[in-house]
Amino acid sequence: MAEAFRHSALVVLVYVLFQISRSEQLQSSQAQTLLRIQGLLNNPPVLSSWNSTTEFCNTEPTSSLTVVCYEESITQLHIVGDKRLPMLPLNFSMDSFVTTLVKLPGLKVLRLVSLGLWGTLPGKISRLSSLEILNMSSNFLYGAIPHDLSSLTTLQTLILDENMFAGRLPDWLGSFPVLAVLSLRKNLFNETLPDSFGNLNNLRVLALSNNHFYGEVPDFSRLTYLQVLELENNAFGPQFPQVGNKLVTLVLSKNKFRSAIPAELNSYYQLQRLDLSSNRFIGPFPTSLLSLPAITYLNIADNKLTGKLSDNLSCNAELEFVDLSSNLLSGPLPNCLLSGPKNRVVLYARNCLATRNGNQHPLSFCQNEALAVGILPQQKKQKKVSKAALALSITGGIVGGIALVGLGFLFVRKANSKKTMMNTPPRLIKEHASTGYTSKLLSDARYISQTMKLGALGLPAYRTFSLEELEEATNNFDTTAFMGEGSQGLMYRGRLKDGSYVAIRCLKMKRSHSTRNFMHHIELISKLRHRHLVSALGHAFECYLNDSSVSRTFLIFEYVPNGTLRSWISGGHGRQSLTWTQRIAAAIGVAKGIQFLHTGIVPGIFSNNLKITDILLDQNLVAKISSYNLPLLAENAEKVGHTVPFSGSIDPTTNASREHEDKIDIYDFGLILLEIIVGKTLESKKEVNLLKHQLQTAIIADESARRSMVDRAVRKTCLDQSLKTMMEVCVRCLLKDPAERPSIEDVLWNLQFAAQVQDAWRGDSQSSEGSPISPSRPSRLHLSIR
């Protein structure tokens, strides 16, 4: 018996020792994985405490670094770096990093924030099959979200904020069975949202702010757990989204919603934060929103909401912020807004409120603006109906008596109408609400758009100009104000009463159009505001009296004083030439302008016939595209030849299908980039092909060959890696097959890399005139020379 007991005890002891040994091996293996991760992340300060003796499962958790273990297996890894740090070194491989990461198969929570990670997200991350929370925000990840993630059926939280992910969100994102949080803020996603998002039954938070989405929001009314919906700064619209009444936060600001605010919003009793600002919401402002039981933040600024407020409205005592600015509200400011807690912020300027405080318009302004967007006051409408009925009852017999006389008169008038129209002098249609409308404009009022908000980038609000203003600004369109004639009309330089200079484009209409036909073009033009576009400030129509058809259109643009980009290459016109860093910055600016034209508005604007002579530099040498494909101009402008020998696009696929219409602008950008690099005016298609071939040869040759191609003015100051990147981008943009040309996002990524490398070298080697050898870079273009 004793012998049997000793034998059993020995077996138990061996088993325990085996388990301890196995546990130590497991722990040792995972410890090595963490140390490997530390090295791949370039030993960031947040991981400075890790070394070969660290007991990872027993470390004290902090807000920046936490390792959680269960049964000697790592289940949670939280690493939060410094947002100010740049992306990881050029030899970093995202694929190798994830390959190492999946050696921690027990991970349920993975949080890698602000670590400088760059590259596409490999699909192999789905091998972490137990993952419940994945947060990789504030990095430099790009491309699409890998389809392999769809296999993570336990995923509850997916946060990829502040990266460079792009493209359309895939339908499979709506198939996660337990997903509760989906946050993709500040990326480059575009197109419409998949309808499958309406099937995420467990979703509580959906944050898609600061992307390029557009179109209608899917029906979210079945998402009964949805509490946070943030869609700020996209192009959603026009209808108010359908959502459930359990929302706590609803942010729709800076979109294209232009419907009325639905009455159901009054029953959202859990709503704490509501932001509808900077849209085009119309109709009455539901004052009951002020008294919702949970509301603490309410912002309806910069819309076209109407209504008369009263002194005795009730407000939630917990309201901390209210912004009613830039609407069409009238009446007194409610006492409850004035008598709240001291820390409450209440903004209400640019309405028609009966208050001495704040900048208010006269009541007539709001009434006229309401008419302009098609909002008719109910009482006035009823009054008009009753008067009309009374007039008909009194004059019915008289009308019958003069009908025959009227028909005869109309017959004579019709015979002479054409002669009258031919001899009628032109006049200007004015659209200023404060001065009243003509009967024709009142009938067209819904098409009149007057932007009340300040324009982007410090520009004044887009507005309608009078012909008198333009005549005064140009001294009656004197020849001294004439700037030139191009494919898009005559250009004049003018000075407004406030002393600011503008560029005025005068376009004579080839065909007869009413103002109504033009207003949808004007609405598009008013939205084309970007740092790297010469933006429109307003417009004016000149029309004929009898039929109100437009005879001339004036488009008023910001004036850019520093001439064309070409004039700044190799000291043109006696100027000092741009440095290499400034040339890269100009190229990046043009690329960002093209990206905005393609994706920043709906529908995008393509085939812009971009030329280096159309790129202007402002007082800070910021590049701005001055000529782009506005539908109004493309439809009516006469094609006028240019004085330079070679200035137009020679894209061999100009007439290609719409599938690659964005790649026409990529080719034209390649021509601009070619001139920036070589520093000489391109004279012919033959010269372009020759230079392209020489660039291809230089790229695969040595540094001296590349330097021999670049403009002498910058030859000694450009880093070879930066120059090589610019050359490769240029060659790819000029490829004959449009499908092989890079996307504008890929172009931007590589140009920014070239700038980053050049800036880093300048910072480390200010006194050096040569170029240090630079490591090879990651490329989004998959560059190969053909």
Side-chain angles (χ1 to χ4, degrees):
M1 183 69 179
E3 185 67 24
F5 176 77
R6 283 195 300 270
H7 179 73
S8 298
L10 181 61
V11 170
V12 171
L13 179 60
V14 169
Y15 177 77
V16 170
L17 291 174
F18 172 77
Q19 291 297 326
I20 292 175
S21 173
R22 182 173 179 273
S23 176
E24 288 178 349
Q25 290 175 0
L26 181 64
Q27 174 63 16
S28 174
S29 171
Q30 298 205 1
Q32 291 175 4
T33 298
L34 290 180
L35 292 175
R36 172 68 174 157
I37 288 173
Q38 180 186 29
L40 292 173
L41 292 176
N42 201 33
N43 299 303
V46 68
L47 301 182
S48 59
S49 61
W50 283 5
N51 55 55
S52 57
T53 62
T54 302
E55 296 183 4
F56 294 101
C57 292
N58 296 318
T59 56
E60 190 69 24
T62 67
S63 59
S64 301
L65 180 61
T66 300
V67 178
V68 177
C69 303
Y70 178 74
E71 294 182 350
E72 302 303 327
S73 178
I74 297 175
T75 57
Q76 295 190 33
L77 178 60
H78 305 250
I79 308 175
V80 180
D82 189 337
K83 267 192 175 184
R84 296 169 296 181
L85 294 177
M87 67 181 187
L88 287 169
L90 306 178
N91 57 358
F92 172 78
S93 169
M94 191 66 190
D95 187 76
S96 298
F97 178 74
V98 173
T99 300
T100 303
L101 199 61
V102 297
K103 294 178 180 178
L104 303 175
L107 275 179
K108 294 180 179 293
V109 179
L110 178 60
R111 187 164 166 246
L112 303 172
V113 177
S114 300
L115 296 175
L117 302 172
W118 61 264
T120 57
L121 183 60
K124 65 180 69 175
I125 197 171
S126 62
R127 296 176 189 174
L128 297 173
S129 57
S130 300
L131 212 56
E132 298 175 359
I133 297 175
L134 176 60
N135 182 350
M136 303 185 75
S137 56
S138 298
N139 286 293
F140 299 91
L141 303 175
Y142 56 80
I145 301 176
H147 182 270
D148 304 67
L149 281 184
S150 61
S151 64
L152 298 178
T153 56
T154 59
L155 196 63
Q156 300 175 20
T157 296
L158 177 60
I159 302 176
L160 301 174
D161 296 341
E162 297 185 61
N163 280 285
M164 297 184 294
F165 288 106
R168 186 181 189 274
L169 290 183
D171 289 334
W172 55 260
L173 269 179
S175 63
F176 286 104
V178 294
L179 191 66
V181 176
L182 178 59
S183 187
L184 306 173
R185 300 183 185 97
K186 294 185 179 180
N187 278 282
L188 301 173
F189 293 114
N190 56 25
E191 298 194 38
T192 57
L193 292 185
D195 290 336
S196 61
F197 275 30
N199 301 325
L200 292 169
N201 296 324
N202 289 288
L203 198 64
R204 298 178 183 273
V205 176
L206 179 60
L208 305 174
S209 301
N210 296 287
N211 280 281
H212 301 295
F213 296 115
Y214 58 82
E216 297 288 359
V217 178
D219 185 354
F220 292 150
S221 58
R222 290 176 295 148
L223 305 185
T224 54
Y225 297 107
L226 188 63
Q227 295 182 325
V228 175
L229 179 60
E230 296 183 0
L231 305 178
E232 180 183 10
N233 198 16
N234 283 284
F236 288 117
Q239 296 300 316
F240 197 98
Q242 300 180 56
V243 290
N245 60 6
K246 300 293 179 63
L247 280 175
V248 175
T249 297
L250 177 59
V251 179
L252 304 179
S253 57
K254 299 179 182 177
N255 277 282
K256 297 184 178 180
F257 296 107
R258 56 178 184 268
S259 63
I261 299 177
E264 301 83 58
L265 218 57
N266 297 327
S267 63
Y268 286 30
Y269 298 130
Q270 299 181 40
L271 193 61
Q272 297 177 12
R273 182 183 180 89
L274 176 62
D275 190 345
L276 308 180
S277 61
S278 299
N279 281 283
R280 296 182 180 179
F281 286 113
I282 61 173
F285 164 56
T287 54
S288 55
L289 294 178
L290 294 167
S291 58
L292 286 176
I295 196 76
T296 60
Y297 181 102
L298 176 62
N299 190 348
I300 62 164
D302 221 347
N303 285 288
K304 296 287 185 181
L305 295 169
T306 60
K308 187 174 183 179
L309 307 183
S310 63
D311 292 323
N312 57 359
L313 286 177
S314 59
C315 305
N316 187 325
E318 303 299 321
L319 259 177
E320 298 174 357
F321 181 92
V322 179
D323 192 349
L324 310 176
S325 306
S326 297
N327 279 284
L328 307 176
L329 304 175
S330 59
L333 194 67
N335 290 328
C336 65
L337 292 179
L338 301 174
S339 59
K342 292 182 180 180
N343 61 344
R344 176 183 291 173
V345 176
V346 180
L347 305 174
Y348 49 87
R350 297 179 298 282
N351 281 283
C352 298
L353 296 171
T355 175
R356 295 181 180 179
N357 299 323
N359 177 20
Q360 299 296 316
H361 298 293
L363 182 60
S364 60
F365 174 87
C366 290
Q367 293 172 341
N368 285 334
E369 282 289 291
L371 286 173
V373 292
I375 305 169
L376 297 176
Q378 186 66 25
Q379 292 182 351
K380 291 186 178 181
K381 187 176 179 181
Q382 291 176 349
K383 191 177 293 185
K384 287 180 181 178
V385 172
S386 62
K387 284 184 177 181
L390 180 61
L392 285 173
S393 64
I394 296 174
T395 62
I398 300 175
V399 169
I402 64 172
L404 292 176
V405 178
L407 286 173
F409 174 76
L410 289 174
F411 179 79
V412 175
R413 182 178 178 86
K414 183 177 180 182
N416 296 323
S417 61
K418 292 185 178 180
K419 294 181 180 180
T420 305
M421 288 174 60
M422 294 297 294
N423 298 322
T424 302
R427 56 123 176 132
L428 180 76
I429 287 185
K430 295 184 178 181
E431 298 176 41
H432 298 290
S434 59
T435 59
Y437 293 102
T438 65
S439 58
K440 170 64 178 171
L441 280 181
L442 283 176
S443 66
D444 291 345
R446 74 188 66 184
Y447 298 97
I448 299 170
S449 172
Q450 291 192 344
T451 308
M452 299 306 301
K453 62 185 177 182
L454 287 179
L457 312 173
L459 295 175
Y462 188 95
R463 68 181 178 93
T464 303
F465 286 76
S466 69
L467 184 57
E468 290 78 13
E469 282 183 272
L470 303 185
E471 289 174 342
E472 183 178 348
T474 58
N475 193 19
N476 254 348
F477 294 97
D478 188 78
T479 54
T480 57
F482 184 65
M483 296 170 62
E485 182 176 9
S487 62
Q488 297 183 337
L490 306 177
M491 290 295 295
Y492 294 87
R493 178 175 180 263
R495 186 177 183 180
L496 302 179
K497 286 184 178 180
D498 62 3
S500 61
Y501 286 95
V502 293
I504 302 169
R505 178 173 290 154
C506 174
L507 184 67
K508 187 174 182 179
M509 296 295 103
K510 292 168 59 181
R511 295 179 299 182
S512 176
H513 293 281
S514 69
T515 56
R516 176 180 302 186
N517 293 344
F518 280 127
M519 290 317 296
H520 69 284
H521 289 313
I522 293 300
E523 183 177 354
L524 171 64
I525 292 171
S526 69
K527 296 173 184 175
L528 290 171
R529 292 194 161 204
H530 189 270
R531 173 176 171 82
H532 296 291
L533 296 184
V534 177
S535 303
L537 306 180
H539 72 277
F541 290 149
E542 188 178 61
C543 300
Y544 289 103
L545 276 172
N546 276 16
D547 59 350
S548 293
S549 63
V550 176
S551 60
R552 284 195 298 174
T553 298
F554 300 90
L555 294 178
I556 296 85
F557 293 86
E558 60 177 317
Y559 180 71
V560 183
N562 258 332
T564 69
L565 176 58
R566 172 176 283 170
S567 69
W568 284 85
I569 301 295
S570 290
H573 297 291
R575 291 192 176 101
Q576 181 182 357
S577 178
L578 293 180
T579 66
W580 182 247
T581 298
Q582 289 170 328
R583 295 184 190 212
I584 300 176
I588 290 174
V590 177
K592 287 182 176 179
I594 295 172
Q595 183 187 42
F596 178 79
L597 289 171
H598 288 186
T599 64
I601 54 174
V602 181
I605 296 179
F606 304 94
S607 303
N608 291 285
N609 192 25
L610 301 168
K611 301 179 291 294
I612 195 169
T613 52
D614 293 327
I615 309 303
L616 305 182
L617 299 183
D618 69 6
Q619 62 273 17
N620 299 314
L621 298 183
V622 173
K624 291 175 176 285
I625 302 173
S626 67
S627 182
Y628 34 89
N629 184 20
L630 296 178
L632 174 63
L633 303 176
E635 183 179 348
N636 295 283
E638 296 285 350
K639 297 300 178 185
V640 180
H642 297 272
T643 57
V644 292
F646 173 74
S647 60
S649 170
I650 57 167
D651 183 357
T653 61
T654 298
N655 296 320
S657 66
R658 291 179 60 86
E659 180 183 358
H660 300 299
E661 61 183 352
D662 59 320
K663 299 304 178 68
I664 296 175
D665 288 336
I666 296 297
Y667 186 92
D668 289 344
F669 178 77
L671 294 177
I672 295 171
L673 200 56
L674 182 58
E675 195 160 327
I676 288 174
I677 294 170
V678 301
K680 58 181 292 187
T681 300
L682 305 178
E683 300 290 348
S684 65
K685 178 179 179 180
K686 181 179 179 180
E687 183 179 15
V688 169
N689 290 333
L690 176 62
L691 288 172
K692 173 189 169 185
H693 176 72
Q694 291 175 348
L695 285 185
Q696 289 176 315
T697 305
I699 289 171
I700 59 179
D702 55 13
E703 180 176 343
S704 61
R706 287 187 285 275
R707 289 193 181 280
S708 68
M709 290 290 300
V710 75
D711 186 359
R712 286 181 179 276
V714 294
R715 188 171 293 174
K716 293 183 178 181
T717 57
C718 59
L719 179 68
D720 181 55
Q721 182 63 65
S722 177
L723 172 59
K724 185 178 179 182
T725 301
M726 293 278 280
M727 287 180 168
E728 289 172 330
V729 174
C730 180
V731 169
R732 289 285 290 172
C733 289
L734 295 175
L735 289 176
K736 185 175 181 179
D737 184 356
E740 294 296 323
R741 297 172 197 161
S743 67
I744 191 61
E745 287 78 19
D746 287 342
V747 168
L748 256 177
W749 195 94
N750 283 270
L751 292 179
Q752 288 167 338
F753 170 81
Q756 186 180 40
V757 170
Q758 182 71 20
D759 288 345
W761 173 68
R762 288 174 63 220
D764 295 338
S765 312
Q766 289 290 345
S767 61
S768 173
E769 294 199 351
S771 312
I773 296 175
S774 176
S776 61
R777 81 185 188 296
S779 172
R780 292 183 63 180
L781 297 182
H782 307 293
L783 294 168
S784 61
I785 307 306
R786 303 187 178 201

